[in-house]
Amino acid sequence: MFRKVLGDDENYNLLCQAHEQFNNREYDRCMELLQQLETKGESSGLILRHNRAVVNYYKSGCLQHQTLLQELEKLASAKSVPVEPTVSLAMKNAGSAFTVARYNKAVIYYHRHMYGTALERLAPLVARLEALEKQMAALVATLQLQLLLATNQLNRAEAFLDFLQYKLNLVASAPSAPSANPSSNAEEPTATAAVGAAVVPTASTVGASATPILDSSVTRAAGESGSILQMLQLLTHVLNRKPVVITEDGTPEVAALKAQQYYIMKDFQMAAKQLMRINDDCTKTGTVTPQLSTCIANNMGVIHLRVRHYAIAAKFFQNALRFDQQLASNLRQSSLQTMGSVRSCEIMYNLGIAMLHLRRPKEAFHCLLVPVKQYHSNPRLWFRMAEACIMEHEAQKLLGKDRHTIDSVMNSAGSKPYGAPSTAVPEPTLEFAALCLRSALTLTLQYKASFYRATSPDETLDQQDSSQQLWSQTQDNNFCNPSKPISLESMANMLDAIYAAHSFVSLRLGDHVTALEMAKHLLQSERLSDAHKLLGHMYAGEALMMMDKSGEARDHLEPTFVNSLNALDLETRDWQLKSLDAAQNVVRYNLAVALALQNDFQAAKSLLVTLNHPIVSKKALTLHRYIELKISATVLH
């Protein structure tokens, strides 16, 4: 952003000429005029330093953003200058050198995907937004809103919009739809939308929900910031499931926003048609870019992932990666906007989820290794990586599982300790799964303790009054970036899944104490599903058996509790226990093992006679032979 300063008439005229040359992209001539101002002893040295840095940046083709950032940091650390320059500043886009430098630094961090740092740099400007000149305030507000959406702070974005509308009058009311809000608390697949420079974000999802990403330049002319704010306003309302009217005007921005709205309303067919129409229209006009192709391919994958077309979704994500690699091939020599358009990290997350559903765990694991470097505070991501490790281990185990020996039966589910590589090595092993689950559990418990419950609508004030409140106090439960904010129910379900997986992995690794502890935590859950209730009792029973506490294990393995389970909860799960009959057979088999360990062979044989499901038939036969051998040995003795 280039700044003009008011001084005496001659200096002001020179600066006006420099500004005009800058807008005409005559950067050498602009630099000459700035040099003249410096030789004339112009007192606004900080502003001239800032403007020279910006001109040099544009002369480099917008490639030397690191050099620009260093110059801006030097400007901010100038100690010999008061905090605010004494020279009067005005706008052809006015603002102090410090204000503009801080804003430009936030822009750079935004395009480098360093959203947290960008929010920190921008916070002092947002705090005094009312004191800024209107055009500067519009630029700051636009960037702040983009950052809130990029970090899935949807409630704060909505509250910030109210502040801009009722307090600062920077945006008008969005046209609302007369229909009811089509909101839903249902959990969605997670993927992240990558949006081209000319397109407002469309749908997204990864492991859990939709993620808006806006890649339009935040350094546009101040006169355009109003229209960008209006588009961001519509996007914010759509992501918050507010009924708004989106009138298409033939531009890809509005068409993409309409696709986002269809996706939010779960009209996936119309969302896909809208995306394909954007692609066809841009192909005809020759305006297709790698950013746009990445956006459309990724979002088509998101839609197919949502409707469980996993193979098709994976194909679209792979296409999106190929388009995205055209942008990411040489980031060191890329412009800021190109760098901001790269979405490989989020697309790899999406592809990893699709691969998990396709039961290709090794590919899923290596896909998920990419986003975990950036989203290392996402407990769901750690859990997905653990799932990939478990799935890969079970697949490898099945390859060599052609027979059921007596030892394997009596050691149940392979509870012998594994001679393992280091847990720090990122490989799809049970040891690394245990590390992932510890991270997921720690993060989830931490987030659960700080979970924010919004005020009920009956307790809120009207919009004009609420806008007077400090909007920054609004919070979002965006613990699973790049997915959407998580609900309390979803967090409870995720915690149950983590406990179950942690207990299973601990049993496999021979850590029976931890396995029992995790199973007990699972059974104490307030919102425990019937499927997890079954797993909790089975894991607890097996852990107790391995700790030579067969009597206590029998309490968890009594078949009577299975009759109270909901068959639908079992049938709709992606696992082997598709019926109550299968669950009943598995529990009875485990109880027979516990009885055999207590030398109650007759009771164990009585249970084995009742087992008729293929899921346990081979193991039941092996256990029956073991019991017969034990009885024979006792008689002979």
Side-chain angles (χ1 to χ4, degrees):
M1 181 180 297
F2 189 84
R3 293 299 179 201
K4 291 173 59 179
V5 57
L6 284 172
D8 56 52
D9 290 342
E10 184 179 357
N11 288 352
Y12 179 67
N13 288 334
L14 281 174
L15 196 57
C16 284
Q17 294 177 40
H19 184 261
E20 182 179 356
Q21 296 298 326
F22 177 80
N23 287 336
N24 293 334
R25 300 185 180 182
E26 297 290 340
Y27 303 124
D28 289 333
R29 178 56 182 160
C30 177
M31 190 65 75
E32 292 175 4
L33 292 170
L34 291 177
Q35 187 64 35
Q36 289 183 36
L37 280 169
E38 188 172 9
T39 56
K40 286 177 173 289
E42 167 60 44
S43 58
S44 302
L46 287 177
I47 297 175
L48 292 179
R49 284 173 57 188
H50 173 273
N51 286 350
R52 282 199 305 271
V54 172
V55 173
N56 283 325
Y57 168 70
Y58 275 89
K59 281 183 65 177
S60 71
C62 299
L63 300 178
Q64 303 298 326
H65 46 83
Q66 184 62 37
T67 302
L68 175 60
L69 184 60
Q70 292 172 354
E71 290 296 324
L72 295 176
E73 293 289 359
K74 291 178 182 178
L75 192 67
S77 62
K79 297 181 179 180
S80 59
V81 184
V83 174
E84 287 295 331
T86 57
V87 181
S88 173
L89 298 176
M91 216 159 185
K92 268 268 177 318
N93 301 316
S96 73
F98 291 110
T99 297
V100 181
R102 182 174 288 276
Y103 170 80
N104 283 339
K105 284 188 291 184
V107 169
I108 294 173
Y109 286 123
Y110 168 80
H111 280 292
R112 292 170 64 174
H113 298 197
M114 299 172 65
Y115 302 129
T117 304
L119 283 167
E120 291 177 5
R121 295 293 188 272
L122 200 63
L125 301 186
V126 177
R128 56 187 185 91
L129 201 57
E130 297 176 68
L132 297 178
E133 197 273 342
K134 186 172 183 179
Q135 287 180 296
M136 187 68 210
L139 288 170
V140 173
T142 300
L143 180 56
Q144 175 71 9
L145 195 54
Q146 288 176 302
L147 287 166
L148 292 176
L149 294 178
T151 52
N152 280 300
Q153 299 185 64
L154 305 184
N155 289 332
R156 290 191 71 193
E158 191 77 32
F160 186 61
L161 269 177
D162 289 340
F163 173 73
L164 297 180
Q165 180 177 346
Y166 298 110
K167 188 71 174 178
L168 300 184
N169 197 29
L170 284 178
V171 292
S173 299
S176 60
S179 58
N181 186 358
S183 62
S184 169
N185 293 324
E187 197 68 14
E188 300 177 5
T190 308
T192 307
V195 182
V199 182
V200 173
T202 61
S204 69
T205 71
V206 191
S209 347
T211 310
I213 300 176
L214 184 62
D215 191 34
S216 56
S217 174
V218 292
T219 55
R220 299 186 186 206
E224 298 180 22
S225 59
S227 61
I228 299 175
L229 267 177
Q230 291 174 5
M231 187 66 72
L232 290 172
Q233 179 188 33
L234 288 174
L235 175 61
T236 303
H237 290 327
V238 167
L239 293 176
N240 279 290
R241 303 178 184 276
K242 298 294 179 66
V244 291
V245 175
I246 299 175
T247 304
E248 294 197 52
D249 58 1
T251 62
E253 292 91 345
V254 178
L257 187 56
K258 189 69 176 177
Q260 173 84 39
Q261 189 176 48
Y262 282 132
Y263 179 83
I264 293 291
M265 295 169 64
K266 298 187 178 180
D267 192 344
F268 305 121
Q269 186 175 13
M270 284 301 299
K273 287 182 178 179
Q274 189 80 354
L275 289 174
M276 295 310 298
R277 187 168 66 84
I278 296 172
N279 184 65
D280 293 341
D281 292 345
C282 291
T283 300
K284 290 177 183 178
T285 58
T287 56
V288 176
T289 62
Q291 293 96 325
L292 178 62
S293 298
T294 301
C295 164
I296 293 175
N298 179 77
N299 292 343
M300 287 294 291
V302 166
I303 293 170
H304 284 284
L305 189 64
R306 187 68 177 86
V307 297
R308 302 185 179 184
H309 298 163
Y310 303 124
I312 300 175
K315 185 65 175 177
F316 273 113
F317 293 140
Q318 288 167 345
N319 290 338
L321 277 175
R322 189 171 64 253
F323 293 130
D324 193 70
Q325 286 169 359
Q326 298 177 28
L327 301 172
S329 58
N330 188 10
L331 285 181
R332 293 184 181 275
Q333 297 299 319
S334 298
S335 66
L336 265 182
Q337 184 155 337
T338 299
M339 181 179 292
S341 301
V342 173
R343 297 296 176 213
S344 301
C345 184
E346 290 85 350
I347 300 170
M348 288 292 279
Y349 194 156
N350 298 342
L351 182 58
I353 299 302
M355 289 299 179
L356 269 180
H357 284 292
L358 290 172
R359 296 194 173 278
R360 295 166 61 179
K362 185 171 289 186
E363 293 96 323
F365 180 82
H366 290 294
C367 286
L368 295 174
L369 274 179
V370 176
V372 81
K373 296 174 183 178
Q374 180 173 346
Y375 300 107
H376 48 78
S377 297
N378 180 347
R380 180 176 279 128
L381 177 52
W382 286 109
F383 176 65
R384 296 300 185 201
M385 293 184 67
E387 282 186 314
C389 294
I390 295 170
M391 195 181 295
E392 174 65 13
H393 174 269
E394 293 301 296
Q396 293 299 322
K397 183 182 174 186
L398 285 174
L399 291 177
K401 185 179 176 182
D402 296 326
R403 65 184 185 276
H404 296 269
T405 64
I406 290 176
D407 285 342
S408 69
V409 170
M410 298 313 294
N411 282 298
S412 187
S415 59
K416 293 186 292 184
Y418 283 66
S422 171
T423 58
V425 178
E427 293 292 337
T429 62
L430 285 185
E431 291 74 20
F432 194 76
L435 177 64
C436 293
L437 289 168
R438 285 196 295 270
S439 298
L441 182 59
T442 301
L443 289 168
T444 304
L445 292 176
Q446 175 186 336
Y447 294 147
K448 184 180 179 181
S450 60
F451 194 89
Y452 173 74
R453 292 173 177 82
T455 308
S456 63
D458 295 336
E459 299 176 10
T460 58
L461 304 173
D462 59 55
Q463 288 179 310
Q464 286 83 353
D465 291 335
S466 64
S467 68
Q468 303 297 325
Q469 299 176 359
L470 191 59
W471 65 268
S472 59
Q473 292 179 350
T474 305
Q475 298 180 32
D476 288 271
N477 299 306
N478 57 329
F479 308 131
C480 294
N481 271 332
S483 302
K484 71 178 181 181
I486 191 172
S487 66
L488 188 59
E489 181 180 0
S490 296
M491 176 168 283
N493 292 338
M494 180 170 64
L495 187 58
D496 291 345
I498 292 170
Y499 280 137
H502 206 332
S503 182
F504 174 81
V505 170
S506 298
L507 282 172
R508 287 287 197 228
L509 295 175
D511 186 358
H512 306 129
V513 174
T514 300
L516 180 60
E517 179 186 359
M518 293 298 108
K520 286 182 176 179
H521 281 304
L522 176 62
L523 293 172
Q524 292 169 1
S525 173
E526 297 177 359
R527 306 184 182 189
L528 190 63
S529 68
D530 284 351
H532 281 126
K533 181 179 180 181
L534 174 63
L535 292 177
H537 282 297
M538 290 176 60
Y539 294 158
E542 184 173 344
L544 287 166
M545 282 192 286
M546 294 302 128
M547 297 166 69
D548 295 326
K549 298 180 179 180
S550 301
E552 295 180 40
R554 290 180 61 176
D555 295 336
H556 289 280
L557 299 175
E558 285 298 331
T560 52
F561 83 89
V562 178
N563 296 325
S564 64
L565 301 180
N566 183 0
L568 183 62
D569 192 22
L570 304 182
E571 294 167 2
T572 55
R573 299 273 175 171
D574 185 17
W575 63 350
Q576 293 178 312
L577 300 181
K578 289 293 187 181
S579 65
L580 285 177
D581 183 46
Q584 190 75 259
N585 273 260
V586 169
V587 174
R588 286 177 182 173
Y589 168 76
N590 281 281
L591 179 57
V593 173
L595 291 170
L597 289 173
Q598 289 183 299
N599 295 323
D600 192 349
F601 299 123
Q602 292 303 323
K605 286 179 66 176
S606 299
L607 275 177
L608 289 176
V609 173
T610 66
L611 303 182
N612 54 15
H613 198 282
I615 197 171
V616 296
S617 58
K618 291 184 179 180
K619 285 191 174 185
L621 180 60
T622 306
L623 179 59
H624 186 272
R625 291 171 180 169
Y626 170 81
I627 292 174
E628 291 294 341
L629 286 173
K630 294 291 289 186
I631 293 175
S632 299
T634 302
V635 172
L636 290 174
H637 180 72

